[in-house]
Amino acid sequence: VGVGVGVVSFDEFWAAYPRRAGKKDAAKAWGQIKPGRDLADRIIAGVERWNQSEQWTKDNGRFIPYPATFLRGERWNDEVTVSGGGRASPEKNYDDIPDFLGA
């Protein structure tokens, strides 16, 4: 898939995604999104969060969706439960900031 003006190459997403199946369909979904650099970075960061999830790590990745499904469903925006019970969210996590109301 070629790179249009301001559109990030599909190959970058494809290299980051752990389930490489249905490439033609995934490339079509990527082309429909036409992500610029910021959105492509968010999508790939979402893939990285999901790679840590219980859903994607159990049963040797049996429950990793096809890449086109991930893209069409905008799954990079989903909150993710990571292995070990924690959550990874696309939003900034402020839990590491001391509570100014606390004692």
Side-chain angles (χ1 to χ4, degrees), residues 5-25:
V5 176
V7 176
V8 176
S9 170
F10 166 75
D11 295 333
E12 193 174 336
F13 166 76
W14 189 252
Y17 204 79
R19 183 176 192 175
R20 295 193 181 97
K23 185 173 185 176
K24 184 176 179 180
D25 196 26

Side-chain angles (χ1 to χ4, degrees), residues 2-88:
V3 178
V5 176
V7 176
V8 176
S9 170
F10 166 75
D11 295 333
E12 193 174 336
F13 166 76
W14 189 252
Y17 204 79
R19 183 176 192 175
R20 295 193 181 97
K23 185 173 185 176
K24 184 176 179 180
D25 196 26
K28 181 179 177 182
W30 184 266
Q32 290 169 337
I33 296 169
K34 297 182 183 108
R37 179 79 266 156
D38 288 344
L39 180 55
D41 287 346
R42 283 187 285 147
I43 292 170
I44 292 167
V47 169
E48 292 168 359
R49 276 193 319 280
W50 274 103
N51 275 331
Q52 304 301 313
S53 73
E54 182 178 345
Q55 180 180 343
W56 282 23
T57 57
K58 71 180 175 182
D59 296 334
N60 293 320
R62 179 176 171 205
F63 299 103
I64 298 172
Y66 280 92
T69 302
F70 181 88
L71 292 169
R72 287 193 184 104
E74 297 185 7
R75 300 286 306 272
W76 64 88
N77 289 319
D78 292 352
E79 188 172 280
V80 178
T81 301
V82 295
S83 297
R87 290 200 283 209

